[in-house]
């Protein structure tokens, strides 16, 4: 602190400027304000302002320290969870492979000696282990979404074109009609965005109405700070009460016999949209088709 | 040994139904064992029994985690059924869930007599028969 004669106190305007500078410094965490600074005050009011600034600075420091500790703890927890999912899925696969391999062997080598019930049991074992294999793989895929990915510019028109090309066999099979309006260019994770469109379109075809041609339209609208994408279908629709549940992992609304699959598709979609800082939701009525919306910020 | 008229199993997993049906049949404690693979089918069955004057199941084992109508949603609808149906039926939840919240939620429901974990065993079955049906005689 520089000394300017006996009295360090500042004039009113200089004091205001000093306070302003200190506020900026506090917000940046570089304030050196302490009791020695009290000398700058020329009256009781200014002294109180300085005291207030010191308290503010101390409080802010405390919050910052607490916040940092929480961030570190969360990052650790997050990493732990990702690891847990990955390791559990990997380690679960080995004993499962043993079950599958030996049941297959049993089926092959003892086909003639096993009676009908025995074969039926074996079939249950094989089917269950296949399903478990599938569940594990999908859990693994889910945990990998957005890991070590690079943000790139994505032309959604081109992306959707590729998705539809990939799905052309299924679409021809079902005579699906897809209308794609002009889509924007966004910043995002390419593989994930592709999977997002693919999941939504393939759901639209999968959950089509019997005896009607699936009609799907894909469009996007400009919002305040984000694009709102829309994937609309004329399928079987979703009841109001299930609108949240369908985004959960392994949640299904139909029996395995009616529609195959594990029920992770929309959970993938949700995670993909969320790693882009977006949101996903839907409008639907049972029997009246569904419209899935998702928001992607411009400046992600 | 207590002998029941009918046991209803509601579970979306076919192998589970297969195993539990076999277990109950082999225990020889029920004349019929009916399996339904969804909450909706289970409800329909109960309604059809009531309407068709067929004897209602004495005992229902209900799974929680099922597609569409899960166990909890089944209970919401079950509650709306005629009271005469509920008074004749003992309902027990049979679940893989180790979540204490599920257990607590089941305990708080008047319609639920018990909560047991899979796998279902002969010992559990015998305990249930002992606890809930023995005093009825037969």
């Amino acid at each position: 602190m520089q000394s300017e004669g006996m009295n360090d106190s500042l004039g009113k305007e200089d004091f205001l400027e000093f306070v302003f500078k200190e506020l900026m410094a506090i917000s940046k965490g570089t304030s050196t304000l302490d009791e020695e600074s009290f000398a700058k005050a020329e009256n009781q009011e200014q002294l109180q302002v300085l005291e207030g600034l010191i308290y503010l600075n101390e409080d802010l420091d405390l919050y910052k320290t607490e916040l940092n500790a929480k961030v570190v703890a969360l990052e650790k927890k997050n990493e732990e969870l990702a690891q847990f999912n990955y390791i559990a899925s990997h380690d679960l696969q080995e004993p499962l492979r043993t079950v599958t391999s030996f049941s297959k062997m049993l089926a092959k080598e003892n086909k003639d000696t096993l009676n009908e019930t025995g074969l039926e049991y074996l079939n249950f074992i094989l089917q269950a282990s296949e399903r478990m294999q599938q569940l594990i793989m999908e859990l693994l895929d889910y945990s990998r979404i957005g890991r070590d990915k690079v943000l790139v510019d994505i032309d959604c028109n081109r992306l959707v074109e590729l998705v539809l090309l990939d799905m052309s066999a299924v679409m021809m099979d079902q005579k699906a009609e897809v209308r794609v309006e002009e889509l924007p260019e966004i910043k995002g994770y390419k593989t994930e965005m592709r999977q997002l469109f693919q999941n939504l379109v393939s759901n639209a075809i999968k959950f089509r109405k019997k005896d009607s041609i699936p009609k799907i339209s894909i469009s996007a609208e400009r919002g305040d700070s984000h694009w709102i994408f829309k994937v609309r279908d004329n399928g079987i629709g979703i009841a109001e009460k299930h609108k949240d549940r369908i985004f959960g992992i392994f949640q299904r609304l139909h029996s395995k016999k009616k529609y195959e699959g594990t029920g992770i598709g929309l959970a993938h979609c949700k995670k993909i949209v969320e790693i882009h800082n977006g949101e996903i939701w839907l409008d639907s009525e049972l029997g009246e088709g569904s419209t899935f919306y998702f928001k992607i910020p411009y400046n992600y | 040994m207590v002998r029941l008229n009918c046991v209803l199993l509601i579970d979306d997993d076919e192998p589970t139904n297969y195993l539990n049906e076999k277990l109950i049949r082999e225990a020889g404690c029920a004349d019929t064992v009916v399996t339904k693979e969804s909450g909706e089918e289970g409800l329909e069955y109960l309604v059809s029994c009531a309407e068709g004057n067929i004897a209602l199941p004495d005992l229902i084992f209900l799974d929680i985690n099922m597609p569409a109508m899960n166990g909890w949603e089944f209970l919401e609808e079950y509650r709306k059924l005629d009271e005469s149906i509920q008074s004749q039926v003992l309902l027990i939840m049979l679940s893989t869930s180790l979540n204490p919240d599920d257990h607590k939620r089941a305990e708080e429901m008047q319609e639920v007599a018990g909560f047991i974990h899979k796998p279902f065993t002969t010992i559990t079955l015998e305990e249930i028969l002992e606890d809930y049906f023995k005093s009825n005689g037969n």
Side-chain angles (χ1 to χ4, degrees):
Chain A
M1 204 166 71
Q2 261 191 333
S3 174
E4 291 174 5
M6 292 294 287
N7 193 350
D8 279 342
S9 71
L10 304 169
K12 197 172 176 187
E13 267 177 35
D14 286 344
F15 182 77
L16 276 178
E17 199 186 321
F18 172 75
V19 168
F20 182 72
K21 271 188 190 151
E22 277 308 319
L23 273 174
M24 298 298 285
I26 288 171
S27 76
K28 282 186 197 137
T30 57
S31 169
T32 53
L33 214 59
D34 56 23
E35 278 168 18
E36 277 179 46
S37 321
F38 289 161
K40 302 220 185 269
E42 57 179 6
N43 56 34
Q44 194 58 29
E45 261 176 6
Q46 289 188 353
L47 193 66
Q48 278 178 349
V49 170
L50 291 182
E51 275 174 351
L53 283 180
I54 290 178
Y55 282 135
L56 179 68
N57 194 28
E58 282 169 359
D59 278 359
L60 211 58
D61 263 352
L62 199 69
Y63 287 133
K64 268 188 199 155
T65 316
E66 279 174 12
L67 201 64
N68 274 337
K70 275 182 190 156
V71 169
V72 170
L74 269 177
E75 273 171 357
K76 236 172 147 179
K77 201 89 217 151
N78 230 341
E79 181 58 28
E80 213 175 84
L81 272 174
Q83 282 286 327
F84 175 80
N85 196 343
Y86 198 71
I87 291 170
S89 311
H90 264 287
D91 292 351
L92 283 174
Q93 296 207 58
E94 201 157 285
L96 184 61
R97 251 200 313 276
T98 309
V99 174
T100 315
S101 311
F102 279 92
S103 343
K104 277 188 181 156
M105 214 147 78
L106 202 59
K108 196 175 154 202
E109 292 175 9
N110 300 56
K111 207 164 48 192
D112 303 327
T113 49
L114 278 169
N115 61 16
E116 206 179 306
T117 328
L119 285 171
E120 203 178 354
Y121 291 177
L122 258 185
N123 219 7
F124 275 135
I125 298 174
L126 279 168
Q127 272 176 16
S129 32
E130 254 166 48
R131 183 144 187 100
M132 186 155 169
Q133 176 76 26
Q134 201 185 352
L135 292 172
I136 290 174
M137 292 309 290
E138 289 182 355
L139 217 48
L140 210 55
D141 288 344
Y142 181 82
S143 76
R144 280 193 197 127
I145 291 175
R147 265 194 147 194
D148 322 315
K149 293 294 187 298
V150 192
L151 274 179
V152 291
D153 291 322
I154 302 169
D155 175 3
C156 292
N157 299 295
R158 179 78 189 127
L159 193 81
V160 168
E161 214 174 279
L162 289 173
V163 167
L164 297 179
L165 199 67
D166 264 357
M167 300 178 64
S168 51
V170 157
M171 285 181 11
M172 275 192 353
D173 224 31
Q174 300 304 332
K175 301 188 174 63
E177 288 172 17
V178 184
R179 206 187 56 182
V180 187
E181 285 175 22
E182 177 72 18
L183 300 176
E185 189 173 283
I186 59 162
K187 262 208 179 337
Y189 303 111
K190 203 165 185 175
T191 321
E192 277 77 4
M193 283 304 292
R194 190 168 164 162
Q195 198 194 343
L196 173 62
F197 279 111
Q198 171 145 358
N199 284 1
L200 291 177
V201 174
S202 70
N203 272 354
I205 297 176
K206 180 175 174 184
F207 298 104
R208 64 186 175 270
K209 266 188 235 161
K210 253 189 203 168
D211 322 314
S212 78
I213 291 171
K215 285 184 184 160
I216 302 158
S217 74
I218 304 172
S219 58
E221 265 170 46
R222 205 177 251 285
D224 318 331
S225 55
H226 44 259
W227 291 103
I228 301 174
F229 289 82
K230 221 160 117 177
V231 179
R232 178 201 289 270
D233 67 51
N234 62 340
I236 57 173
I238 293 157
E240 181 69 35
K241 61 178 175 185
H242 292 137
K243 277 181 186 168
D244 291 324
R245 213 212 282 173
I246 53 167
F247 291 106
I249 298 174
F250 299 145
Q251 287 297 328
R252 310 161 40 81
L253 297 183
H254 308 275
S255 71
K256 286 172 230 163
K257 282 175 192 156
K258 207 164 171 193
Y259 293 99
E260 59 176 22
T262 57
I264 205 168
L266 286 174
H268 274 178
C269 292
K270 185 171 189 289
K271 189 168 174 191
I272 291 168
V273 172
E274 283 174 356
I275 59 168
H276 287 87
N277 272 341
E279 268 175 72
I280 186 166
W281 71 99
L282 75 148
D283 254 351
S284 183
E285 217 172 295
L286 212 53
E288 299 297 322
S290 307
T291 308
F292 282 85
Y293 299 88
F294 62 90
K295 258 194 209 176
I296 302 283
Y298 296 144
N299 300 319
Y300 179 60
Chain B
M1 174 125 182
V2 183
R3 193 166 172 93
L4 305 177
N5 177 27
C6 172
V7 177
L8 172 63
L9 301 170
I10 305 173
D11 198 310
D12 63 306
D13 188 51
E14 197 191 338
T16 301
N17 280 338
Y18 182 102
L19 276 173
N20 295 346
E21 179 178 350
K22 184 170 153 65
L23 190 143
I24 294 168
R25 281 194 196 287
E26 284 175 1
C29 63
D31 291 340
T32 44
V33 182
V34 177
T35 58
K36 295 289 166 194
E37 285 183 17
S38 71
E40 289 94 337
E41 284 174 38
L43 273 178
E44 274 167 30
Y45 178 75
L46 291 178
V47 172
S48 75
C49 285
E51 284 172 355
N53 279 328
I54 305 165
L56 283 157
D58 311 279
L59 179 58
I60 298 177
F61 288 104
L62 174 67
D63 182 28
I64 295 179
N65 190 7
M66 293 186 281
M69 185 187 282
N70 63 25
W72 305 118
E73 287 167 334
F74 172 90
L75 285 167
E76 270 169 42
E77 297 302 316
Y78 176 76
R79 216 176 250 176
K80 295 180 198 157
L81 296 179
D82 201 280
E83 260 180 45
S84 66
I85 296 181
Q86 294 176 46
S87 64
Q88 292 177 58
V89 176
L90 185 88
L91 191 145
I92 290 189
M93 303 206 85
L94 175 59
S95 168
T96 311
S97 169
L98 295 174
N99 186 346
D101 291 345
D102 282 339
H103 202 140
K104 200 167 157 244
R105 189 168 168 190
E107 266 177 1
E108 283 165 2
M109 296 181 92
Q110 221 186 317
E111 296 79 8
V112 181
F115 187 101
I116 54 176
H117 294 284
K118 291 177 188 174
F120 187 46
T121 62
T122 316
I123 295 170
T124 323
L125 177 63
E126 280 166 3
E127 279 170 4
I128 290 167
L129 295 175
E130 182 84 12
D131 291 351
Y132 297 99
F133 292 97
K134 209 178 175 193
S135 54
N136 293 352
N138 280 345

